[in-house]
């Protein structure tokens, strides 16, 4: 049976760098305050004057991944695009990316799993390839969040966290048993949907949005940070352990854990709960902030570039995000 094998990766961060000190001009905050709570030192944002969407960032990351895979856009059978910040309300950013790649009728779909987009999407790509429907899939995750956050003291708890960026992965069906995705474990708990959400615009309201709603800041992200933190530090070790058990693996069999880069303190708490040495958990949130759907594929590409993983490596990807959703995927690279 064919399985989804990673043939190429790529990442792209917009060139504009915003440090914690830069944020002090817009809100009552400090470098020390942000570092203590999140571990973040800087993040990349798109230009202030706009005009750059997640499909643009995804296009740049996709070009790199395609080149490394030795593919042309015409080799793609399906595009999957993960984002919580689409270029426009509809249609999805996957279709916009398809056109930018110069393709005419290649199918494209978007998934809205926010921070867990990469783990959900990896299982989807493997299922599509195993089914025989598609053999070469371009999976892109990209976010432009800097234009949709409250850059003021009112919104600082959320706005200091997020960054913009994109990661891309080319996956191809290969006849194999002992490499590729070894186990997955996905979960959702809609009961907690309201602790991490953007309420507006909302089709359940009429009108969808008003000037009064905007003045109240209801179109900005809302997060119960304490509850998200508490849930993450409980759920992430649970899902990592259950997925390793499903694959018949122990911590010693894992070369690297690549968690979603939501908060350095969450990932450090995860490592402590798992009794992991520092070198087994990858962190880059210090430089990029939380790029939501894009964070794991960006981290994956960077870890490969740093030679932390490569031929024969076994990696655990794991994330928790809005929904709430969480999950883990264990992947083994080809020799």
């Amino acid at each position: 049976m064919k399985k989804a094998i990673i043939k190429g990766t790529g990442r792209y961060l917009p060139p504009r760098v915003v440090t914690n000190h830069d944020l002090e001009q817009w809100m009552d905050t400090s470098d020390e305050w942000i570092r203590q709570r999140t571990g973040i030192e800087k993040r990349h944002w798109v230009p202030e004057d706009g005009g750059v969407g997640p499909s643009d960032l995804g296009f740049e990351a996709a070009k790199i991944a395609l080149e490394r895979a030795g593919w042309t856009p015409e080799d793609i059978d399906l595009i999957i695009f993960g984002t919580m910040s689409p270029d426009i309300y509809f249609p999805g950013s996957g279709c916009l990316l398809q056109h930018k790649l110069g393709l005419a009728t290649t199918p494209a779909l978007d998934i809205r799993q926010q921070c867990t987009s990469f783990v959900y999407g990896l299982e989807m790509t493997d299922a599509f390839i195993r089914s025989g429907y598609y053999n070469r899939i371009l999976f892109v995750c990209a976010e432009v969040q800097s234009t949709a956050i409250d850059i003021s003291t009112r919104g600082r708890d959320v706005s200091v966290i997020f960054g913009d960026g994109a990661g891309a992965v080319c996956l191809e069906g290969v006849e194999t048993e002992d490499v590729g995705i070894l186990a997955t474990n996905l979960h959702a708990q809609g009961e907690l949907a309201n602790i991490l959400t953007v309420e507006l615009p909302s089709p359940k309201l009429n009108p969808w949005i008003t000037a009064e709603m905007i003045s109240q800041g209801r179109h900005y992200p809302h997060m119960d940070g304490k509850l998200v933190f508490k849930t993450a530090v409980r759920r992430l070790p649970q899902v990592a352990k259950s997925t390793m058990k499903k694959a018949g693996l122990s911590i010693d069999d894992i070369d690297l854990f690549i968690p979603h880069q939501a908060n350095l303190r969450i990932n450090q708490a995860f490592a402590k709960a798992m009794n992991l040495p520092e070198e087994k958990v990858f962190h880059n949130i210090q430089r990029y902030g939380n790029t939501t759907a894009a964070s794991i594929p960006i981290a994956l590409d960077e870890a490969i570039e740093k030679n932390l993983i490569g031929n024969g490596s076994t990696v655990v990807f794991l994330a928790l995000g809005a929904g709430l959703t969480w999950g883990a995927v264990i992947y083994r690279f080809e020799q």
Side-chain angles (χ1 to χ4, degrees):
M1 179 180 292
K2 285 188 174 182
K3 297 175 68 176
I5 302 300
I6 294 173
K7 292 297 184 179
T9 63
R11 70 183 187 276
Y12 181 77
L13 288 305
R16 179 188 174 202
V17 176
V18 178
T19 68
N20 293 344
H21 294 294
D22 291 331
L23 294 177
E24 294 172 5
Q25 65 186 299
W26 299 307
M27 63 188 74
D28 181 14
T29 191
S30 68
D31 177 63
E32 181 183 9
W33 188 89
I34 297 169
R35 286 186 191 230
Q36 285 181 349
R37 287 159 178 77
T38 69
I40 298 168
E41 301 169 14
K42 57 186 177 181
R43 72 284 293 149
H44 291 247
W45 284 359
V46 296
E48 290 184 81
D49 56 1
V52 178
S55 66
D56 298 304
L57 303 185
F59 175 60
E60 298 299 329
K63 287 192 295 184
I64 296 168
L66 288 168
E67 182 179 359
R68 290 174 176 167
W71 295 5
T72 66
E74 289 71 25
D75 293 321
I76 301 167
D77 299 319
L78 172 70
I79 296 168
I80 299 177
F81 199 110
T83 188
M84 76 168 190
S85 57
D87 295 65
I88 52 178
Y89 195 83
F90 71 86
S93 295
C95 289
L96 304 183
L97 174 61
Q98 183 244 44
H99 178 64
K100 286 169 182 164
L101 288 167
L103 298 171
T105 60
T106 301
L109 66 88
D110 283 40
I111 58 173
R112 293 290 304 276
Q113 298 311 114
Q114 289 63 252
C115 301
T116 58
S117 288
F118 192 72
V119 293
Y120 266 75
L122 273 186
E123 183 175 83
M124 290 177 63
T125 61
D126 197 46
F128 272 129
I129 286 172
R130 284 174 180 266
S131 72
Y133 279 105
Y134 304 105
N135 195 57
R136 287 183 168 180
I137 298 176
L138 172 64
F139 180 25
V140 175
C141 293
E143 304 284 4
V144 171
Q145 302 171 120
S146 60
T147 57
I149 52 180
D150 184 358
I151 307 176
S152 72
T153 300
R154 177 180 68 176
R156 67 179 179 181
D157 288 354
V158 173
S159 57
V160 301
I161 296 171
F162 290 108
D164 304 334
V169 179
C170 294
L171 299 116
E172 184 171 352
V174 175
E175 294 280 355
T176 184
E177 290 296 331
D178 58 349
V179 299
I181 293 176
L182 305 183
T184 64
N185 211 334
L186 305 179
H187 300 275
Q189 188 177 5
E191 176 188 3
L192 298 177
N194 65 341
I195 72 171
L196 184 52
T197 184
V198 175
E199 179 188 2
L200 300 173
S202 172
K204 74 177 182 179
L205 302 178
N206 192 6
W208 290 12
I209 192 167
T210 65
E212 181 181 4
M213 294 174 188
I214 292 173
S215 69
Q216 294 168 347
R218 292 168 61 187
H219 61 303
Y220 289 128
H222 163 77
M223 177 174 65
D224 183 337
K226 291 183 179 179
L227 186 51
V228 171
F229 189 100
K230 180 180 178 181
T231 306
V233 299
R234 178 168 59 94
R235 292 297 193 185
L236 291 177
Q238 287 177 348
V239 77
K241 291 175 182 177
S242 62
T243 311
M244 286 191 294
K245 182 178 181 180
K246 190 175 181 180
L249 300 175
S250 69
I251 287 175
D252 292 338
D253 298 312
I254 307 301
D255 295 293
L256 192 66
F257 290 81
I258 303 182
H260 164 54
Q261 305 294 303
N263 185 309
L264 184 60
R265 309 309 167 211
I266 290 175
N267 291 349
Q268 289 172 333
F270 162 75
K272 183 177 180 180
M274 297 286 290
N275 197 27
L276 295 171
E278 184 177 338
E279 64 272 13
K280 273 208 172 186
V281 184
F282 188 83
H283 306 292
N284 65 6
I285 190 171
Q286 303 95 316
R287 299 185 299 280
Y288 304 136
N290 179 350
T291 54
T292 310
S295 80
I296 295 180
I298 288 172
L300 168 62
D301 184 62
E302 193 168 55
I304 292 172
E305 187 178 90
K306 292 177 178 291
N307 294 317
L308 298 177
I309 51 176
N311 294 344
S313 297
T314 303
V315 181
V316 176
F317 305 110
L318 65 156
L320 177 141
L324 286 180
T325 57
W326 67 96
V329 174
I330 299 179
Y331 180 88
R332 180 171 292 155
F333 286 83
E334 293 178 293
Q335 291 286 352

